[in-house]
Every structure is written in structure tokens, then in C-alpha cells.
Amino acid sequence: MKKYGVFRYSYILILSILSFHSVQAQEEPKPIINASLVGVLVDADTKEPIDGATVQLEAVTHSVKTDRDGKFQFVTGQKLPFTLIITYVGYQTKTIVISQSPTVIELKSDDKNLDEVVVVGYGTIKRKDLTGSVASLPSDLLKQNVSSLDQTLKGGISGVQVTQTSGQPGGGVSIRIRGGASIQGGNEPLYVIDGFPIYNQTESTGVGSGASINPLASINPSDIESVEVLKDASATAIYGSRGANGVVLVTTKKGVTGRAKLTYDGSFGLQKVLKKIDVLGAKDFAILRNEVLYDANPSLGTNQYLTQSQIDALGEGTNWQNEAFKTAPIRNHQLSLTGGGDQVQYFLGANYFDQEGVIVNTDFKRLGFRSNINAKPYERLSVGANLSINRTQGQVAPSGIVNSLLIMPPTATIYDADGSYTLRNPFENIFANPIATLLETTNQEVVLRTLGTTFAQYDILDGLQLKVLLGVDLNNRTNKYYLPSYIYEGSGSSGRANLGNLDYYSWLNENTLSYNKSFNNHNLNVLLGFTQQEARNAVFGAGAENFVTDELLYNNLQSGSTLLRPTSGTYEWVLHSFLSRINYNYQNKYYVSASLRRDGSSRFGAENKWGNFPSLAFSWRASQEGFIRDNLSFLNDLKLRTSFGTTGNLEIGQYQSLSTLYSLNYLIGGNILTGFTSQRIPNENLGWETTYQYDAGIDFALFNSRLQFTFDWYYKKTEDLLLNVEIPWTSGYASSLQNYGSVQNKGVEFNVKSKNIDNDFSWSTDLNLSFNRNKVLSIGSGTSYITGNYIIKVGKPLGTFYGTATDGILQVGEEAEKGDFTGNATPKAGDRLYKDIDGDGKFTTANDRTVIGNAQPNYIFGFTNTFNYKGFDLNVLLQGSVGNEILNINRQNLEMFTGQQNASTDALQRWTAGNPSQSYPRAKLDPAPVFSDQFVEDGSFVRLKSLQFGYTVPKTWIHRSLSNLRFYVVGQNLLTWTKYAGFDPEVTSGSNVQIGSDAGIYPASKSFSFGASITF
């Protein structure tokens, strides 16, 4: 074996020397007749051998294929030197003059070439022929160690804002493509996975507590081959009533022709919370509580809670964050088998993902299988099937747990002296022991999801194809919940168990006829189709209380002596659609694209069930003009494009246009009777939210496409908003869902890609930058309405904060002059002052609120740099948001200084007679919480989102049975630069209106993972 190894390495060394010599010798080649050529073909970046490439002699039909080691060999009667033409899918075609054998030839990847084929709605198209705004997610971002595919979009594509709604393992994100427009409808994009459209919305079973697991977490991100985002109306109108919020096209991995390849990819990592919030320790809290009690009743003295000696003996007390937060492992295992022949190609994959949460007793697990098969049994017939089966399971953090960890007093303990749990906060505010809640509550969610599509495509005539696709999405979710009797939440009911089940299925049928024809300088593509999709959802819940034992959890509801009222429900919806599209270009210079989709939905009123969604786009590849091509040799591509179209939004839930009934219990004559009452007033004219969008863009590439630039300007106006409009009480109802109002989004997007260095050492950069301006144009008959701490107001953006404006702190001697601006009946020095907005000479919360900020960013960006040197690769992603503000509800809770709950360390700077602060008020027992600009913070941030470093072992160093061996390390959320005082600036509630709100959301984490990928 040693001799063999020495021989092999010597052979490679000699081959490399001869190759170098051959390059030098090309200056004066000597003709050789009946030459024999031996060579090796490798990837220019990774230096890995390329298997299955075609190597052909110029001007003859003689060609060979490279083997698994990238080797090829010729014996020819031609004279040496001669010219080789080398082709392989995904690489640039290379023509090279060979003067001497053996030789090593490098082939460059062509994945960013203008001839790259990208996926669009109901088909594919070459990137150079695009008329709409379509962006592809960089492939390196798909390698992140995340639980769901939507998380890979962060910072990767211009115009796409991704914000975390929960750091819970398997938790969700909120995605806005070119801004959100709907107030009561859906704002999330449509996902199309291998042709099956999915709206990512969590349906509740009514059981459990806390944020639900993200439905997209049931799809394994490692199975994904590519992600395209359709942004303008030209690209999205083909999806009609579901395209208003953009479309994310996901294509999973397919088999490739060649020998079977078995790949294992495994990683292990550790996570920890990004930061902790500074709160008072036991001593400082005891001092605060003494101060509060003295302020409420001075006659009882200054140490009503603890004496000074007791305070001195306290120590740090209970650090509730330290008790709950932990360093958590994350494991990911992938196994795939791919290969096939000319007629059948296959991809088989299995995955196991296990992520423990940074909060104790929270986790997420996924076990899945995928099978993608494509075949061409006959010359005119192609068939394929894509199937994934995934089971996920998560232990979810209960609602409000993060807030409880922050405000639980440090002088309280986890356990009482007898070893049992301390039930709750020992002071006036009632909230449970958060550690007991976390450790003892069973709050599980289990999902089994089967998603599959199958198709058959038949070539009727040359260029005329018929495609029939069938798909199904089966989603079964079970929620399991148990509160034991020995913690506070379950003590009053002697234990409570609940089970909930949701059974959802949706089937899809698409029938499309496409025609492709080129004649002279004309190129035509026509698409006609009819699609239908139906879905049914059934939900059931049951529960019981008063259990004899806690041992059985939720597994024996009948053992509870008090049965809870069961619930059940079901709904169905149907969508039928006709679609058409024409793409035409002349001389590959002048392009026009037109589409029309007609949708009919069961969700809308009887008089308005059908809608039409057209689009029209033009583009001009100016670089193909002779006067530009001949005079601007550095300009490789220049395209001007514009588009206009309409799309819709049907995400309003079911039966909203109907006068549905709901049940009520009535007590009559001592008996409980059940009856029904009308839930809403019907609206036969209820229709779509319609978005009109205009887009103008320019794409150009310079210096052999080493610098590529894309610019888009867009204007979106959404009309006929679905709003609950107030109606006269004489109708018997307070409001009616109607089509009123409009919202606009307009902005610009920039994307720059550059190959800065392209030698043995390569460096490429991808920068995207997006500006969006959101504004409410109208909301029916009024000009504004208030919802919580937000206002929806004409002329202002969605996510506008509405509260009071602070004006310092009332000082000693100012009570008579400024006391009316505290809002207190008996003002006292140390109270917070507020501005008198309405000018009536006093402050009241009801009348003196105003706009105090908004959650919309000025701009967002992503900045990716990729480096390669021999077998080493490094990918670094910086992501950021600038100008947005965040409503920090956690901070509002921590700055009440009541002594009934813990406070932030800002309490150390509170107003006292000896410290006349102008920033923080005095401590007092029962302040009325007032929402103000004090709790609206700058949410701007820059984050080192992802860092991936890898090394691919040279083929010559590994056994022949291996074709690839790579080691890597991946870091995520490693560094964050921000002024925001909360856990994480990348946070939102997920609400359409109350965006940018941080109210006890499960905090995000940073992680490091180490892994290896092995291909046999």
C-alpha cells in the first residue's frame, strides 16, 4: 500500500510538472503524428476532478468522457498540437490548444452565466431573456444550519425583509417582499415547492401555549437546489390572486446522469443566547422595595421589607435568566443517494435535525425522507415525481415566559424550604415561577407532513408540449398540553390536560400547454393552462381537569373528574384558475411578455368570486445592438426593462362573506340549552385586495461579466383593502368586513455582483441594498384609527407607534407649575412629565397621544463575500437594517420601579432627592403604565449573520472509494452592532399592523457548528 501511495503521488507530481512544462512549450509546439493524449479535468475553484465531461477534438466527431477521477485519454491520427473542446453542464465551454501530454485542464463554473436557466412561474427561462424582476438566492446561503428554508433568505436578496418572530427552535419569521400592504389580510409571500403552492400560515388547534412551530420547518433546507424570488407583477401575475406579496419558488434537488453517488453530511454545534438583559440583583431590589413601601406609607419606617443587615446578607439572589438560559446543542445529519442513466435519474435523501433551545426544556426535532425521480421512458414522454415525508416535534416555550424571567424578583427562590416549587411571585403582582413552568409544563407540537407532486409531459409536436401535474399536501398536527397540579398554573385545577388535532389536506391539478418556436429572428413561447386546488381543514380539541395523579399527563383524559368542553370545526376552500402567457423576442434584443390569469375563489362573495390579473412587460437587450457591441467591448450585457400588472390577495380566512353561525349556551329554567346566533353580516360583494405594480429596471455586466449590476424602481398600490368597517348598531352588528382603503409601497433596489479576483485565489462580492417607503393612502370614510400602541393613519406608514411624548421628570418645587403634566391626581417630585399635545393645559393619556415613531426601516442590506484558495473556501454574510424603530415592551415592564417585580439596572439611576434624574422616574408602588417614546428605541443593526469556512481535501489525499471529502465550520449571528437595549433588534410580532414590537419574544441565539461532508 505504501508503494502504491508513493507511486500515485509521484504520478500526480510528474503530471503537474509535465503540465507546467507543456504550458511553457506552447510557444513553439512541435508537430507529433499519431499522438496519444492523457489528461485530467478539474474544477477551477475546488481542484476536484470532474466526472462525465465531454472532451472532443475540434473539427471531428471523436470525443471521450472523463472518468470519476477526471481522467481522459485520446489516441488519434492528428498532429500534436491540436484543439480540444470541453463541455459539461454547469461549466463554461472551454476551447484549448494542447501541445503536450499529459496535461491538467481546469474548467470554470458557469452558474452565473447569462445562459443560466432560472425557474419562473410554470416554467423556466434563460436569465438573459427575463423581462421581470426575478432574483436567485446565492447557493452558499442554502448551506446555513437553520431549521426552515425561509430563514435562508435573510440578507440574501434585495427587496426581501426577513424578521424573526420567535427564536424558539423551529420558530417562525415574518417575510415582506417590497413591503407589506394588507392590514387584515395576509402579507406573507406564496411559496411554490416543486410546483405546489403553499401559504405559510399556522392554523391553531386551540391547545397549548406559546408560538407555534413554523410550518415551513417541515421542509428540509438541505434538500433545496435553488430558490428564486418573483418580485414584480410581470413575474407574479401568473399566480394571480395569490401573487400580491411576492412568490418564492423552491426547487429541490434532482438526480443527475452518471454513476451513483452516496453523500453523508453531518454537523454538530452549540448555541447560546445573543445577550442577557441587565436587571437588579437581590440587594438592589430589596433597597428598591423598601423605598417603594416607604413612599406608600412613610409612617411604617424605611425598612418595611428587609432590614439593612438582612439586605447585606442577601448575596446575588436568584438570577432567573441564568437559570433558564443554557448552552444548547444542535445536530444535523443528511444522507443522500443520487445518480441515474439516460432514461432515469433519481435523488433519495434522509435527514435528522435536532435543535435544543437556549431556554431549558425547549427543542425541535425533524426526521424526514425525500424521493425525487425523473424519467424519460419514451422519446416524447417525460415523467417525474417529488415526494417528501417529514415528522417534526417540538417542546414549545409557554407564552409570557421570557417576560416572567425578567420581572421575577431576585429575592424569590425556585424552591421552597421543603423542596417543592415556589408557586409564584411572593409580592402583589401575580405571575408564576418561570422555572417551574418551563421544566414541568408539557407543551408539545407534533407534525407529520407529506408533500408530493408528480407530472407527465408529452411532446405532441415539435415545440408543443402538454404537461399534467398532480400534487398533494397532507398535514397532521397534534398539540399535547399538561399542567401538573404542583405548579401555580395547574394548582387551582388539580392538573389540566388538553389534546388538540388538526388534519389538513390540499390537492392540486395543473394542466398546461406550452409552445416554443423559433423562426428566422423570431422566438416565441406560449403558455395556456387550467389549474384547480382544493383544501379541507378539520380541527378537534378535548381536555380534562382534577386528576388523581400527574403521572399520566395527557394520556388518560378520562381519569380527570372534570371534563372540559370539547371543540371541533372544519372548513374547505376551492380555487379554480385559467392562465395564459406569451413571451416573444426578436433577434434576442427586443422582448415582450404578457400574461393573464383568471381566478375564481370560494372565499369571496357570490357577486365577486372571479378576478382577472393581467401583466405586460418589455425589455431591450441594448448590448446586442451593433453600435454598442462594436464600440463598447467592455460591456458584456445591457438590458432595460419595464413592467406593469395586477395581482391579488385572497388570504382572509374562510366564509368571511357569509353570515355564519356560532353556538352559545343559555340558562333557561335551571337547564343549560345550546343555541346558535349569527356571527357576522353577509357581504355578497366582498372581493380581492388588488395590487397594481409598476417596475422599471436595468441590468448590465462589464469586463467579461466580472461586474454585474441590477437596479429596480417600483411602485405598488394596493386597493380594496379588506377592513372591518364600522356600521350602524341598528344592524345588530358593530362592523362588517368590506373592501375599503389603499396602501402604497414604492422603492428602489440595488444589487451588485463582482468577481474581484479570479485566479488561484478568487474573491467575489454580492451586495444588495433596498429602500422602501410605505404609506396608507385611505382607510374608507375616516382618516385614522388606533389599535393598541399603533395608529393606522392616512399619510403615515403601517407600523406607526402612537403614544405619549415624555418631557423630563418633575423636580422639587415644580409641582404647582408642571404637576398637571404628570397625569397624576396628586403629583409628586420624581414623577414623569409628558407633553400636552392638544394644548388644553394638562396631560391625559386619552387626549395627548401622538405619533412617536415607526417600525419601517429606511433601508436594508446584505453584503456577502466569498473567498476560495485551492481547497479552502470562506463565505461571510453581513446583514443589516437602518432607520427602523422597535417598541420595547420588555423595557416598559422593567422601568415601572414598583418593587412588586424586578426592574432593569436603569433603576439604579432613578429619581431620588439626592439624585434628581431627568431620565428615570421615582419608585412608587402602583404607577399607571403609560406607553411613551421612552420605550421606542432605534432598531438599526449590522450583523455578522453567517460565516462559513471549509476545506475540501484534494482527491489525491483520499482513498479511491471517496470522490469528495470536505470539512467545514459554520457560525451564525456571531456579532451584532446595535444600540437596541433588548435581546435582539431583528424582532417583530408578526402582526400586519403592530410590527416592530418586542414583547417577551423567545430570544435569538448565536451558534457555531462543525461538520463534514463525504461523498462515495
Side-chain angles (χ1 to χ4, degrees):
M1 292 297 295
K2 291 183 178 180
K3 291 182 179 180
Y4 171 75
V6 172
F7 172 78
R8 187 170 67 171
Y9 296 140
S10 301
Y11 172 78
I12 296 297
L13 178 61
I14 294 171
L15 192 66
S16 301
I17 295 173
L18 292 177
S19 171
F20 177 78
H21 183 266
S22 70
V23 173
Q24 302 299 315
Q26 285 183 23
E27 297 179 0
E28 296 181 2
K30 297 180 180 181
I32 300 176
I33 302 176
N34 293 329
S36 175
L37 173 63
V38 176
V40 175
L41 185 65
V42 299
D43 185 289
D45 295 324
T46 67
K47 312 306 178 186
E48 290 300 303
I50 299 175
D51 177 14
T54 300
V55 183
Q56 181 179 349
L57 284 168
E58 188 180 47
V60 299
T61 59
H62 189 187
S63 66
V64 296
K65 298 275 190 180
T66 57
D67 65 14
R68 58 177 292 178
D69 296 322
K71 295 179 182 178
F72 64 91
Q73 184 171 358
F74 272 117
V75 176
T76 175
Q78 291 194 43
K79 295 181 180 180
L80 198 71
F82 44 69
T83 302
L84 296 180
I85 301 173
I86 304 168
T87 58
Y88 189 62
V89 175
Y91 287 82
Q92 298 176 11
T93 298
K94 184 167 188 173
T95 301
I96 185 172
V97 176
I98 300 299
S99 302
Q100 192 165 346
S101 176
T103 186
V104 176
I105 302 174
E106 295 183 351
L107 207 58
K108 291 186 176 182
S109 173
D110 195 32
D111 58 352
K112 295 184 180 179
N113 193 275
L114 292 174
D115 287 327
E116 173 192 0
V117 174
V118 296
V119 179
V120 294
Y122 302 96
T124 59
I125 193 172
K126 289 184 178 180
R127 184 170 294 280
K128 67 180 181 182
D129 295 333
L130 283 171
T131 56
S133 181
V134 179
S136 298
L137 182 70
S139 57
D140 284 332
L141 299 188
L142 290 171
K143 299 176 183 177
Q144 299 179 72
N145 203 12
V146 293
S147 61
S148 61
L149 68 92
D150 46 3
Q151 296 184 26
T152 65
L153 297 174
K154 292 183 179 181
I157 295 178
S158 63
V160 180
Q161 182 183 15
V162 184
T163 313
Q164 199 81 26
T165 58
S166 174
Q168 163 84 36
V173 298
S174 171
I175 293 182
R176 298 291 181 265
I177 297 177
R178 294 186 168 179
S182 185
I183 294 177
Q184 291 183 216
N187 268 322
E188 297 295 318
L190 178 71
Y191 294 86
V192 181
I193 302 175
D194 287 333
F196 198 102
I198 293 171
Y199 186 75
N200 191 41
Q201 180 178 7
T202 302
E203 300 283 353
S204 174
T205 64
V207 170
S209 175
S212 294
I213 298 298
N214 181 3
L216 281 180
S218 62
I219 307 299
N220 178 21
S222 297
D223 287 344
I224 296 172
E225 181 68 30
S226 66
V227 175
E228 271 79 36
V229 176
L230 314 184
K231 296 187 285 187
D232 73 336
S234 173
T236 61
I238 198 67
Y239 288 100
S241 61
R242 295 186 286 186
N245 301 319
V247 181
V248 179
L249 300 180
V250 179
T251 303
T252 58
K253 294 177 180 177
K254 304 294 189 292
V256 294
T257 301
R259 68 177 185 87
K261 291 185 177 181
L262 179 65
T263 300
Y264 167 77
D265 192 313
S267 64
F268 174 81
L270 295 174
Q271 316 157 88
K272 62 185 302 183
V273 71
L274 289 175
K275 64 178 291 188
K276 296 176 183 177
I277 306 300
D278 293 330
V279 294
L280 297 180
K283 292 183 179 180
D284 290 323
F285 173 78
I287 294 172
L288 172 66
R289 182 159 176 80
N290 275 339
E291 188 175 320
V292 164
L293 295 176
Y294 177 76
D295 179 79
N297 193 345
S299 64
L300 296 180
T302 58
N303 292 85
Q304 298 176 36
Y305 173 47
L306 294 176
T307 65
Q308 188 59 49
S309 60
Q310 290 173 320
I311 293 175
D312 294 338
L314 279 177
E316 182 185 355
T318 304
N319 189 317
W320 295 93
Q321 292 181 78
N322 286 350
E323 296 292 336
F325 295 140
K326 68 172 186 175
T327 299
I330 180 171
R331 309 170 186 87
N332 195 11
H333 301 278
Q334 315 287 334
L335 189 65
S336 65
L337 179 67
T338 183
D342 294 334
Q343 288 187 309
V344 180
Q345 300 85 43
Y346 57 88
F347 173 87
L348 303 175
N351 75 92
Y352 177 70
F353 182 83
D354 183 0
Q355 180 183 9
E356 294 186 25
V358 293
I359 294 181
V360 295
N361 199 29
T362 59
D363 59 38
F364 172 78
K365 297 180 176 66
R366 180 181 58 239
L367 179 64
F369 171 79
R370 172 170 293 280
S371 172
N372 290 349
I373 298 175
N374 292 278
K376 193 168 185 178
Y378 304 103
E379 183 178 355
R380 290 181 176 272
L381 179 64
S382 299
V383 296
N386 308 293
L387 176 67
S388 69
I389 302 173
N390 291 276
R391 183 185 187 274
T392 63
Q393 176 178 317
Q395 170 72 10
V396 179
S399 295
I401 198 67
V402 173
N403 182 58
S404 294
L405 290 171
L406 295 176
I407 64 177
M408 193 70 171
T411 55
T413 58
I414 300 174
Y415 302 99
D416 287 337
D418 62 1
S420 61
Y421 282 113
T422 298
L423 288 182
R424 68 174 189 86
N425 172 26
F427 305 123
E428 295 84 352
N429 282 3
I430 299 176
F431 46 89
N433 177 342
I435 301 301
T437 302
L438 279 169
L439 295 178
E440 304 302 331
T441 301
T442 300
N443 191 27
Q444 291 184 357
E445 185 173 305
V446 180
V447 177
L448 179 63
R449 187 170 197 172
T450 301
L451 179 63
T453 56
T454 182
F455 72 89
Q457 180 173 291
Y458 185 73
D459 298 337
I460 302 173
L461 298 171
D462 184 26
L464 182 63
Q465 296 176 329
L466 172 66
K467 183 178 181 181
V468 177
L469 180 144
L470 298 173
V472 65
D473 182 13
L474 305 176
N475 196 338
N476 182 271
R477 183 166 85 248
T478 301
N479 288 89
K480 306 174 181 180
Y481 189 67
Y482 187 76
L483 287 174
S485 60
Y486 50 84
I487 67 173
Y488 178 73
E489 298 94 320
S491 59
S493 58
S494 297
R496 186 172 85 242
N498 294 89
L499 286 175
N501 182 263
L502 182 144
D503 189 18
Y504 171 88
Y505 80 83
S506 174
W507 64 265
L508 170 74
N509 168 233
E510 294 180 347
N511 310 278
T512 55
L513 191 66
S514 60
Y515 180 68
N516 293 275
K517 185 66 176 179
S518 296
F519 47 95
N520 297 329
N521 291 314
H522 305 274
N523 302 285
L524 180 67
N525 173 269
V526 180
L527 175 72
L528 297 173
F530 170 72
T531 75
Q532 50 187 337
Q533 186 174 359
E534 298 186 10
R536 185 178 188 274
N537 190 45
V539 63
F540 172 78
E545 294 179 341
N546 291 315
F547 290 90
V548 176
T549 176
D550 293 308
E551 295 299 321
L552 299 177
L553 301 178
Y554 46 76
N555 295 305
N556 200 272
L557 294 183
Q558 62 271 27
S559 65
S561 60
T562 303
L563 298 181
L564 302 177
R565 187 183 185 193
T567 59
S568 65
T570 185
Y571 71 76
E572 297 178 348
W573 59 264
V574 178
L575 180 68
H576 289 175
S577 309
F578 298 91
L579 58 94
S580 62
R581 179 175 60 206
I582 298 176
N583 292 327
Y584 167 79
N585 78 74
Y586 177 69
Q587 292 185 337
N588 293 320
K589 288 191 292 186
Y590 312 107
Y591 294 80
V592 60
S593 177
S595 70
L596 174 64
R597 178 162 176 148
R598 180 169 172 79
D599 278 343
S601 172
S602 63
R603 297 185 178 185
F604 294 97
E607 301 299 322
N608 208 3
K609 287 191 178 297
W610 288 89
N612 299 315
F613 304 94
S615 75
L616 184 64
F618 302 93
S619 66
W620 172 38
R621 286 194 69 205
S623 56
Q624 294 299 99
E625 301 288 358
F627 67 90
I628 293 181
R629 187 175 59 246
D630 296 339
N631 295 294
L632 300 176
S633 59
F634 62 89
L635 183 65
N636 306 109
D637 188 64
L638 173 62
K639 180 166 63 176
L640 307 176
R641 49 186 168 79
T642 184
S643 67
F644 174 81
T646 62
T647 49
N649 185 357
L650 55 69
E651 297 301 332
I652 63 167
Q654 287 69 45
Y655 313 127
Q656 297 295 308
S657 68
L658 304 177
S659 180
T660 54
L661 302 177
Y662 69 100
S663 61
L664 289 175
N665 289 339
Y666 299 88
L667 184 63
I668 300 177
N671 298 316
I672 297 178
L673 301 178
T674 300
F676 290 87
T677 185
S678 177
Q679 189 170 11
R680 64 176 66 90
I681 192 170
N683 183 356
E684 293 184 349
N685 294 311
L686 190 68
W688 327 89
E689 291 185 346
T690 303
T691 296
Y692 301 89
Q693 183 172 182
Y694 175 76
D695 184 280
I698 181 172
D699 310 313
F700 62 84
L702 307 172
F703 313 121
N704 294 322
S705 296
R706 291 186 62 174
L707 179 62
Q708 300 177 41
F709 181 86
T710 298
F711 167 83
D712 278 272
W713 176 88
Y714 62 87
Y715 177 84
K716 291 171 57 178
K717 182 180 180 182
T718 302
E719 296 186 342
D720 299 326
L721 292 180
L722 294 159
L723 295 174
N724 280 313
V725 179
E726 290 186 0
I727 58 177
W729 281 96
T730 53
S731 66
Y733 303 89
S735 63
S736 172
L737 185 63
Q738 300 180 24
N739 292 108
Y740 272 102
S742 60
V743 171
Q744 78 170 22
N745 285 277
K746 61 181 180 180
V748 294
E749 299 168 357
F750 300 89
N751 195 89
V752 180
K753 298 181 180 181
S754 65
K755 295 179 180 178
N756 309 311
I757 302 175
D758 194 17
N759 296 312
D760 287 343
F761 171 77
S762 65
W763 169 28
S764 62
T765 296
D766 191 327
L767 171 66
N768 65 79
L769 182 64
S770 309
F771 299 80
N772 182 74
R773 296 296 178 264
N774 176 275
K775 183 166 67 173
V776 176
L777 300 179
S778 65
I779 50 173
S781 59
T783 59
S784 66
Y785 71 88
I786 300 168
T787 171
N789 295 321
Y790 294 77
I791 187 170
I792 298 173
K793 185 175 183 178
V794 172
K796 296 294 183 181
L798 295 175
T800 295
F801 304 120
Y802 193 67
T804 61
T806 57
D807 196 22
I809 304 296
L810 186 68
Q811 301 298 322
V812 174
E814 296 180 341
E815 292 87 350
E817 177 188 359
K818 298 182 178 180
D820 287 341
F821 303 118
T822 64
N824 299 324
T826 306
K828 187 176 180 180
D831 289 340
R832 191 179 292 283
L833 293 169
Y834 300 93
K835 292 182 180 179
D836 176 19
I837 302 300
D838 66 358
D840 64 354
K842 61 181 179 180
F843 168 80
T844 58
T845 303
N847 298 326
D848 291 313
R849 286 185 290 176
T850 186
V851 171
I852 55 175
N854 77 84
Q856 300 283 351
N858 293 333
Y859 62 91
I860 57 176
F861 68 89
F863 184 49
T864 304
N865 284 277
T866 303
F867 307 88
N868 289 277
Y869 179 69
K870 297 185 177 180
F872 295 95
D873 60 88
L874 175 65
N875 180 272
V876 182
L877 168 63
L878 290 172
Q879 170 208 0
S881 176
V882 177
N884 61 297
E885 292 172 302
I886 298 175
L887 168 51
N888 191 344
I889 299 296
N890 296 328
R891 180 179 175 185
Q892 181 174 338
N893 294 332
L894 290 171
E895 288 190 10
M896 296 183 69
F897 306 162
T898 65
Q900 301 171 358
Q901 60 190 40
N902 205 2
S904 71
T905 52
D906 292 332
L908 300 175
Q909 304 174 49
R910 64 187 180 274
W911 187 97
T912 63
N915 179 42
S917 171
Q918 285 287 355
S919 300
Y920 299 100
R922 66 186 176 92
K924 57 181 178 180
L925 185 61
D926 191 23
V930 177
F931 171 57
S932 70
D933 55 10
Q934 175 76 7
F935 313 115
V936 175
E937 300 184 36
D938 182 4
S940 303
F941 72 92
V942 177
R943 168 168 288 166
L944 178 55
K945 177 61 185 173
S946 174
L947 185 149
Q948 305 174 43
F949 177 73
Y951 178 67
T952 302
V953 179
K955 175 66 177 177
T956 54
W957 292 9
I958 58 179
H959 194 271
R960 283 183 59 87
S961 62
L962 300 181
S963 62
N964 186 70
L965 175 60
R966 182 175 183 267
F967 299 96
Y968 59 87
V969 58
V970 178
Q972 291 178 278
N973 298 335
L974 298 181
L975 295 171
T976 303
W977 295 271
T978 184
K979 295 180 180 179
Y980 181 59
F983 286 110
D984 181 22
E986 190 182 19
V987 65
T988 189
S989 65
S991 165
N992 290 348
V993 176
Q994 300 185 11
I995 57 179
S997 178
D998 186 1
I1001 293 173
Y1002 193 119
S1005 60
K1006 55 184 174 182
S1007 67
F1008 259 114
S1009 296
F1010 303 85
S1013 178
I1014 307 171
T1015 301
F1016 297 88

